């Protein structure tokens, strides 16, 4: 952080958070201290957090009281080296069927953040996170690995950027973030005009971080490359998330932006799980706050490096809606390498299993996969699964598996109107109600683009 502008912004950031968000700053100091733990101390910390969470869930959470009814969580149970692997895996269908039974009945609703997954497997999922844990401290620690301040200005490619926000709310939001500048780009619908506007703003403001969905940033990079555009002051990093980043994409980003790529793994259910570090192509786990296992399809554990398997996650700080040994639907493998010095956190290969694609119109408007996964978020009570397929430049087919008795007339009209607006009426949108959606190597793809590139 040699840049003087960054220094004073960083100082203000620390001062504001110390004054108004003291709990977050205390947790941040703990997170930094954890990076200096010996390996045995780190393993002990992780184990103690898992035991505390499982005891709490078994005693207080309605679902787990029933799910663990055949397990007696006494001290001798935890003496077994394999005690954790004996705990049954939590699947998505458990949450869908018993949603209300996962909430902590003793916790006030103000401490609960309800979320909906993007639906990358074709069906959005409702759940919740614990507001009491300031999860942004893991973001701050991640950026510190790259010698970047969390106060750095950001260009953010996210979906559903609010355009009708009242003036006073915009002013308040800007005041909260001051002096950091956050440029928000709507990743849900991108065309040449919008991409050119984003480029001009970024060239003027020089944000130090480009952050967002890999599919949206890829479209921005392709546009800049085709137009032979470059930045006079490159960003400090390209921070991508929400989908696997291919070697092709990384090479494209480095070529166009002249910046390193920070690959971060998270999911709607559990934020801030693992992230890239400058010294490795692999990702380092936030092992002091998240527990990850890799298992075969039958649930048997994989301990050896470089063997792909299903990711099983436990959020060690979510006591509002505990997710314990949760199969998220992504795949990866443990890496052989570790950092040459502390932190001694485990490392994984870049995550596989998430699919990012897009829909394209004849004029070049792009609807990114990361946006399209959210179009049925408000209708999870009516729709079981969905899939979008484009076979020609003028038509998309949307396949929907409705829940029993669901009437989708209004849903179809609303979604059709939204997509027609975003694509300027250039696509015919055909809905199909079906009984099931076929699998692609064990995973339902939410978007299929069959156009020849």
């Amino acid at each position: 952080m040699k840049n003087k502008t960054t220094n004073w912004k960083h100082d203000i950031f620390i001062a504001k958070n110390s004054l108004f968000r003291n709990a977050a700053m205390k947790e941040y100091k703990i997170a930094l201290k954890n990076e200096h733990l010996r390996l045995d101390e780190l393993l002990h910390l992780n184990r103690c957090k898992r035991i505390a969470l499982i005891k709490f869930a078994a005693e207080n959470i309605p679902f787990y009281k029933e799910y663990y009814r055949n397990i007696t969580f006494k001290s001798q149970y935890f003496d077994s080296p394999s005690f954790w692997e004996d705990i049954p895996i939590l699947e998505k269908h458990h949450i869908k069927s018993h949603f209300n039974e996962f909430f902590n009945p003793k916790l006030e609703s103000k401490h609960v953040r309800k979320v909906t997954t993007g639906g990358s497997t074709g069906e959005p999922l409702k759940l919740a996170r614990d507001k009491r844990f300031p999860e942004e401290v893991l973001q701050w620690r991640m950026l510190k690995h790259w010698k970047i301040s969390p106060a750095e200005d950001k260009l953010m490619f996210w979906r559903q950027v609010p355009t009708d926000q009242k003036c006073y709310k915009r002013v308040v939001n800007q005041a909260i973030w001051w002096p950091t500048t956050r440029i928000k780009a709507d990743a849900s619908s991108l065309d040449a005009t919008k991409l050119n506007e984003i480029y001009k703003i970024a060239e003027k403001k020089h944000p130090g971080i480009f952050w967002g969905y890999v599919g949206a940033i890829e479209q921005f990079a392709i546009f800049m490359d085709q137009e032979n555009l470059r930045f006079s002051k490159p960003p400090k990093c390209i921070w991508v998330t929400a989908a696997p980043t291919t070697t092709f994409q990384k090479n494209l980003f480095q070529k166009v932006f002249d910046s390193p790529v920070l690959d971060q793994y998270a999911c709607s259910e559990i934020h801030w799980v693992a992230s890239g570090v400058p010294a490795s192509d692999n990702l380092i786990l936030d092992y002091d706050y998240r527990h990850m296992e890799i298992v075969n399809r039958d649930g048997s554990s994989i301990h050896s490096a470089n063997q792909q398997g299903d990711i099983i996650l436990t959020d060690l700080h979510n006591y509002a809606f505990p997710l314990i040994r949760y199969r998220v639907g992504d795949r990866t493998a443990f890496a052989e390498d570790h950092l040459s010095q502390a932190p001694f956190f485990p490392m994984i290969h870049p995550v596989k299993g998430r699919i990012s694609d897009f829909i394209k119109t004849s004029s070049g408007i792009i609807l990114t996969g990361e946006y399209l996964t959210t179009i049925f978020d408000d209708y999870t009570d009516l729709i079981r699964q969905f899939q979008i397929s484009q076979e020609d430049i003028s038509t998309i087919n949307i396949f929907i598996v409705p829940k029993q008795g669901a009437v989708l007339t209004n849903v179809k009209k609303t979604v059709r109107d939204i997509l027609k607006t975003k694509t300027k009426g250039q696509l015919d949108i055909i809905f199909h109600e079906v009984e099931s959606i076929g699998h692609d190597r064990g995973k339902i793809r939410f978007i299929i683009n069959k156009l020849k590139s």
Side-chain angles (χ1 to χ4, degrees):
M1 303 175 191
K2 295 180 180 180
N3 184 282
K4 291 183 179 179
T5 301
T6 302
N7 273 340
W8 72 262
K9 286 187 176 182
H10 181 78
D11 292 342
I12 292 176
F13 175 88
I14 295 297
K16 286 174 63 178
N17 278 277
S18 298
L19 181 61
F20 299 110
R21 304 189 70 244
N22 190 44
M25 289 305 299
K26 285 183 177 179
E27 192 64 46
Y28 181 47
K29 291 177 181 178
I30 292 172
L32 295 180
K33 185 177 179 180
N34 289 345
E35 292 195 309
H36 297 281
L37 295 175
R38 300 191 311 268
L39 180 57
D40 62 314
E41 293 174 328
L42 177 64
L43 294 174
H44 179 72
L45 174 64
N46 175 282
R47 183 177 185 275
C48 288
K49 287 187 176 184
R50 280 184 285 144
I51 291 174
L53 179 64
I54 200 78
K55 285 182 175 180
F56 174 86
E59 294 174 2
N60 296 280
I61 306 300
F63 172 80
Y64 290 110
K65 286 182 179 180
E66 174 64 21
Y67 199 42
Y68 298 155
R69 67 184 182 278
N70 295 324
I71 304 175
T72 303
F73 291 110
K74 294 184 178 180
S75 57
Q76 57 266 33
Y77 174 83
F78 300 107
D79 292 337
S80 170
S82 62
F83 82 89
W84 191 251
E85 296 174 10
D86 295 333
I87 296 170
I89 289 174
L90 179 67
E91 306 286 359
K92 292 180 185 292
H93 69 81
H94 292 129
I95 300 175
K96 295 171 188 173
S97 301
H98 304 277
F99 172 70
N100 290 321
E101 299 171 32
F102 279 87
F103 287 96
N104 179 351
K106 300 178 181 179
L107 191 64
E108 295 181 61
S109 59
K110 67 179 181 180
H111 297 304
V112 179
R113 177 182 288 110
K114 293 184 179 180
V115 296
T116 305
T117 67
S120 61
T121 58
E123 181 178 5
L125 182 68
K126 291 182 179 179
L127 30 74
R129 300 203 302 269
D130 196 328
K131 281 186 177 181
R132 294 172 300 175
F133 174 64
E135 57 190 22
E136 62 271 26
V137 303
L138 301 181
Q139 174 193 149
W140 302 345
R141 185 171 70 175
M142 175 190 73
L143 291 174
K144 192 173 187 296
H145 294 156
W146 293 77
K147 298 181 180 179
I148 297 175
S149 169
E152 192 71 51
D153 294 343
K154 300 175 181 68
L155 170 60
M156 303 163 63
F157 288 85
W158 294 118
R159 62 187 181 227
Q160 299 173 348
V161 175
T163 57
D164 58 348
Q165 191 178 54
K166 294 182 179 180
C167 180
Y168 79 90
K169 288 187 176 181
R170 290 198 300 270
V171 172
V172 170
N173 185 265
Q174 291 172 359
I176 290 173
W177 282 100
W178 183 87
T180 298
T181 298
R182 306 201 313 161
I183 306 166
K184 297 181 180 180
D186 184 0
S188 65
S189 178
L190 298 170
D191 56 24
T193 301
K194 288 183 179 179
L195 291 170
N196 191 52
E197 291 174 356
I198 294 169
Y199 169 76
K200 289 180 178 178
I201 294 172
E203 173 62 10
K204 180 180 179 181
K205 299 289 187 178
H206 300 302
I209 299 172
F210 288 8
W211 174 23
Y213 299 125
V214 61
I217 293 180
E218 180 183 27
Q219 294 306 313
F220 186 42
I222 291 172
F223 167 79
M224 285 185 57
D225 202 35
Q226 290 175 340
E227 298 296 322
N228 197 28
L229 298 172
R230 296 295 185 269
F231 290 110
S232 58
K233 182 180 179 181
K236 296 180 179 179
C237 79
I238 309 301
W239 171 5
V240 292
T241 187
T245 307
T246 66
T247 300
F248 171 81
Q249 288 170 324
K250 284 187 177 181
N251 291 340
L252 174 66
F253 297 159
Q254 290 167 351
K255 170 191 173 185
V256 173
F257 302 128
D258 191 24
S259 304
V261 177
L262 192 173
D263 186 3
Q264 181 231 340
Y265 174 58
C267 51
S268 297
E269 301 96 313
I270 304 174
H271 270 194
W272 311 108
V273 177
S275 58
V277 289
S280 175
D281 291 330
N282 295 316
L283 311 183
I284 185 170
L285 289 173
D286 288 309
Y287 193 68
D288 45 346
Y289 294 95
R290 300 352 182 170
H291 185 74
M292 178 184 288
E293 306 162 72
I294 299 175
V295 304
N296 293 304
R297 297 294 188 189
D298 63 2
S300 57
S301 297
I302 298 173
H303 298 289
S304 57
N306 304 320
Q307 184 177 342
Q308 288 282 330
D310 295 350
I311 294 175
I312 306 296
L313 283 180
T314 301
D315 184 342
L316 301 177
H317 284 258
N318 187 351
Y319 281 74
F321 192 100
L323 295 177
I324 301 172
R325 300 204 76 211
Y326 170 58
R327 195 192 306 258
V328 298
D330 297 329
R331 292 172 62 81
T332 190
F334 286 118
E336 289 180 326
D337 61 325
H338 291 268
L339 299 182
S340 59
Q341 56 187 7
F344 298 108
F345 298 171
M347 299 191 76
I348 59 172
H349 290 289
V351 172
K352 305 295 182 184
R354 292 170 292 165
I355 300 171
S356 180
D357 212 335
F358 58 87
I359 295 299
K360 186 176 182 179
T361 71
S362 57
S363 69
I365 295 174
I366 300 294
L367 299 184
T368 61
E370 293 89 346
Y371 163 69
L372 291 169
T373 62
T374 70
I375 60 175
F376 293 108
D377 275 5
D378 293 333
Y379 311 108
T380 54
D381 294 332
L382 299 174
I383 294 174
R384 190 173 303 280
Q385 293 176 320
F386 71 89
Q387 185 180 77
I388 303 172
S389 177
Q390 182 176 26
E391 297 190 12
D392 62 66
I393 199 66
S394 61
T395 307
I396 61 171
N397 291 280
I398 301 180
F399 300 90
I400 301 175
V401 180
K403 291 188 175 180
Q404 187 173 4
V407 178
L408 303 180
T409 304
N410 292 335
V411 175
K412 294 177 186 178
K413 182 182 184 304
T414 301
V415 171
R416 179 184 280 111
D417 290 346
I418 291 172
L419 295 179
K420 283 283 188 180
T421 299
K422 288 188 175 293
T423 61
K424 299 181 180 179
Q426 296 172 23
L427 288 177
D428 290 325
I429 301 165
I430 303 173
F431 288 92
H432 308 267
E433 292 189 27
V434 297
E435 293 182 357
S436 63
I437 292 175
H439 290 262
D440 178 13
R441 291 169 293 178
K443 190 163 185 174
I444 299 173
R445 294 180 59 186
F446 65 87
I447 175 167
I448 299 173
N449 190 321
K450 297 183 179 179
L451 296 178
K452 293 183 179 180
S453 57

